[in-house]
Amino acid sequence: MTANTHACQTAIVIGGGIVGLAAAVGKTGGDFVEAFKLYEQVRNPRAMRMVLSAREMGRLYHAKGVERLIRNSLWTGLSQEQFYDRVSWLYGWRAENCLGGVA
C-alpha cells in the first residue's frame, strides 16, 4: 500500500471531523486502545481494496489484444449508472456507515 493511498484512506475513515474514530470510541465505551484497533480493522481492508481495485482498473483500462476484446464485451451495454454501481463501495461512504458491519 502506498503512503498516499494509506493517508487518503485515513482521511476517509476519519471523515473530516474524526467521525470514524469518534464512532469507534463510542462503540468501545471510551476505550481508546480498543477504539484504535476497531479503527484499523475497518481502515486496513478498505485501503487494501482501494489499492487492488486501482491496480486492476488500470490494467483493464489499458488492456491490449484478447484481454481488450474480453473487457469490451463485458462492458458493452453497461449504463453509466451500472458502472458506478460497481464502485459504490468506494464512493458510497457515509459517516453513518463508517464502521460498517464490525462487531
Side-chain angles (χ1 to χ4, degrees):
M1 177 177 341
T2 67
N4 288 340
T5 302
H6 201 66
C8 176
Q9 183 55 32
T10 299
I12 290 170
V13 171
I14 290 176
I18 319 226
V19 172
L21 187 53
V25 170
K27 193 165 193 152
T28 59
D31 183 336
F32 282 91
V33 172
E34 289 303 311
F36 276 104
K37 286 179 185 176
L38 179 59
Y39 166 78
E40 286 293 309
Q41 181 184 351
V42 173
R43 183 183 69 161
N44 286 341
R46 183 175 162 84
M48 288 307 301
R49 187 175 182 185
M50 290 173 68
V51 169
L52 295 173
S53 293
R55 184 181 303 144
E56 186 64 16
M57 291 306 285
R59 188 180 67 77
L60 286 172
Y61 286 147
H62 301 288
K64 294 181 175 133
V66 173
E67 189 174 36
R68 176 183 232 150
L69 295 172
I70 293 169
R71 178 211 55 203
N72 291 348
S73 72
L74 291 172
W75 287 0
T76 298
L78 281 182
S79 68
Q80 189 173 2
E81 291 79 22
Q82 289 171 314
F83 179 78
Y84 286 120
D85 284 346
R86 293 179 181 188
V87 290
S88 65
W89 66 269
L90 178 60
Y91 298 108
W93 185 94
R94 301 287 177 267
E96 306 81 56
N97 65 13
C98 64
L99 297 179
V102 295

